[in-house]
Amino acid sequence: MMKSKLEYIWLDGSVPTQQLRAKTRIEENFSGKLEDCPVWSFDGSSTNQATGGASDLLLKPVFICPDPDRKNAYLVMTEVLNPDGTPHETNGRAHIEEEDEDFWFGFEQEYFLYDPQTRLPLGFPAGGFPGPQGPYYCGVGGSKAFGRQIVEEHLDLCLEAGLNVEGINAEVAAGQWEFQIFAKGAHNAGDQIWMGRFLLERTAEKYGVDVEWHPKPLGKELDWNGSGMHANFSNGLMRTCGDKAVFESICEEFGKHIMEHIEVYGAFNDQRLTGLHETQSIDQFSYGVSDRGASIRIPVGTVEDGWKGRLEDRRPASNGDPYKIAARIIKTVKSAS
């Protein structure tokens, strides 16, 4: 009789940024299929999601993939429900009003690897700083790339799990990295980003390293880049229209909803969106071809392909909830059409 480990993963009630939680369930003769993952419960009073007098909340499986780092194991992304089966108030996935696989998303997830003892990024000497930014972006070598072993192991695990990771690279600051995931549909894109984050956290844990998702962990004043999660998006119309006016209409619509987007683009984003370090100010909106200082960048490839392709919203923070971000993007794009 085969016994399988099912790692149930969910988002807690931490404020202002939710954290990942997980626990293992043992199932006999498990098929490996999502529909055969039972609904489970957990103690919401220990995750800032319920009171001790009424602590039971439900975990509804929504995404499954193999767990390549454990024997006979699976990773199960879940969403949190109230005992009556309604979405819990912390359930960001429920913000997606309807599934629409016509929308494609490519998230560029940046993050820092941190030494938990010094509370500084890898590559930073205790009580000091490494050399200034310049050599670290896509850098190679012991004085330029820090934590590569973790990053490479994470990439292998993601690929073995079946996540659609499209690439990795060292980022502009020392100890800062990025992975990119592409998926069709807001639910699928969010599920895969959260699963990628979980695998990164657990891999770094083995090395005694923390993953820092804060968009500006070194502070607003210092001359170090922050971390974002640039959201590339398109729908069928954008991919086929061949019409500059369609893209400009969508960008103009985004400009009408600045605060609605910023509200779900991640906490402490005001420290990152300053108008410096390849960002637009948080209270302003702009768009332009190849403009990395704009709120929305129109990729040159979209123009060269005859105004067919995608847009890139550069404002989402590294700690933003991809479910909420994708839901808001879909809503704004649809209101422009």
Side-chain angles (χ1 to χ4, degrees):
M1 183 178 294
M2 174 69 74
K3 292 189 176 183
S4 298
K5 306 164 192 162
L6 277 63
E7 189 76 352
Y8 275 50
I9 303 162
W10 73 97
L11 302 176
D12 69 9
S14 296
V15 176
T17 302
Q18 290 176 276
Q19 306 297 312
L20 287 160
R21 305 283 182 131
K23 63 175 182 171
T24 306
R25 179 188 183 103
I26 304 299
E27 287 286 320
E28 294 183 352
N29 299 321
F30 179 62
S31 68
K33 297 178 180 179
L34 182 64
E35 57 264 31
D36 293 325
C37 294
V39 173
W40 204 9
S41 63
F42 71 99
D43 171 20
S45 68
S46 296
T47 60
N48 304 308
Q49 289 168 298
T51 61
S55 64
D56 284 353
L57 294 175
L58 304 178
L59 296 173
K60 176 188 174 184
V62 295
F63 178 89
I64 188 171
C65 63
D67 185 346
D69 211 27
R70 300 170 91 186
K71 294 180 180 178
N72 305 321
Y74 296 87
L75 299 166
V76 182
M77 192 69 204
T78 70
E79 56 181 3
V80 177
L81 305 180
N82 295 310
D84 63 1
T86 58
H88 190 267
E89 62 181 358
T90 61
N91 183 343
R93 200 174 189 271
H95 285 243
I96 303 170
E97 295 178 358
E98 60 185 60
E99 186 52 281
D100 192 340
E101 290 199 2
D102 185 48
F103 277 86
W104 297 358
F105 292 94
F107 285 112
E108 303 174 31
Q109 176 68 72
E110 296 177 336
Y111 61 91
F112 277 91
L113 293 175
Y114 257 58
D115 182 329
Q117 303 302 318
T118 63
R119 292 310 307 159
L120 290 170
L122 300 188
F124 276 59
F129 298 94
Q133 293 185 165
Y136 309 113
Y137 175 70
C138 297
V140 178
S143 62
K144 305 178 189 70
F146 307 96
R148 188 183 295 278
Q149 186 173 358
I150 296 171
V151 173
E152 292 289 348
E153 185 172 333
H154 171 249
L155 175 60
D156 285 341
L157 290 171
C158 285
L159 294 175
E160 290 174 41
L163 301 185
N164 196 37
V165 176
E166 297 222 313
I168 59 170
N169 59 269
E171 264 302 331
V172 176
Q176 186 185 37
W177 294 83
E178 174 186 297
F179 65 91
Q180 306 98 29
I181 282 183
F182 168 79
K184 297 179 181 180
H187 290 102
N188 190 25
D191 293 339
Q192 292 205 41
I193 281 290
W194 278 116
M195 196 64 79
R197 287 178 177 179
F198 175 82
L199 283 170
L200 181 59
E201 292 265 19
R202 198 178 65 179
T203 303
E205 174 189 313
K206 290 197 302 184
Y207 293 86
V209 171
D210 282 337
V211 181
E212 179 56 77
W213 305 105
H214 192 292
K216 200 72 172 180
L218 294 166
K220 182 178 180 179
E221 293 75 23
L222 297 182
D223 191 23
W224 293 96
N225 269 36
S227 297
M229 187 174 64
H230 303 154
N232 297 271
F233 62 93
S234 68
N235 62 4
L237 175 63
M238 295 167 65
R239 293 189 293 272
T240 60
C241 67
D243 188 349
K244 178 180 180 181
V246 168
F247 286 86
E248 291 182 338
S249 173
I250 292 170
C251 289
E252 291 291 339
E253 189 67 25
F254 271 72
K256 299 174 186 176
H257 305 281
I258 297 174
M259 289 316 300
E260 292 98 316
H261 283 264
I262 293 302
E263 284 173 0
V264 297
Y265 276 14
F268 310 111
N269 213 9
D270 58 309
Q271 298 179 31
R272 169 178 162 263
L273 298 180
T274 61
L276 303 173
H277 301 112
E278 299 179 323
T279 70
Q280 175 57 280
S281 296
I282 194 168
D283 58 349
Q284 297 181 27
F285 180 84
S286 63
Y287 64 92
V289 176
S290 294
D291 187 352
R292 295 183 182 275
S295 309
I296 289 185
R297 178 177 71 94
I298 302 173
V300 67
T302 295
V303 179
E304 291 178 345
D305 289 341
W307 290 95
K308 298 176 184 177
R310 60 185 170 89
L311 291 171
E312 178 194 44
D313 192 331
R314 297 181 58 79
R315 296 170 298 171
S318 49
N319 60 355
D321 183 341
Y323 295 133
K324 295 178 182 178
I325 293 167
R328 182 62 242 189
I329 287 173
I330 290 174
K331 186 173 183 178
T332 299
V333 172
K334 285 187 172 181
S335 66
S337 56

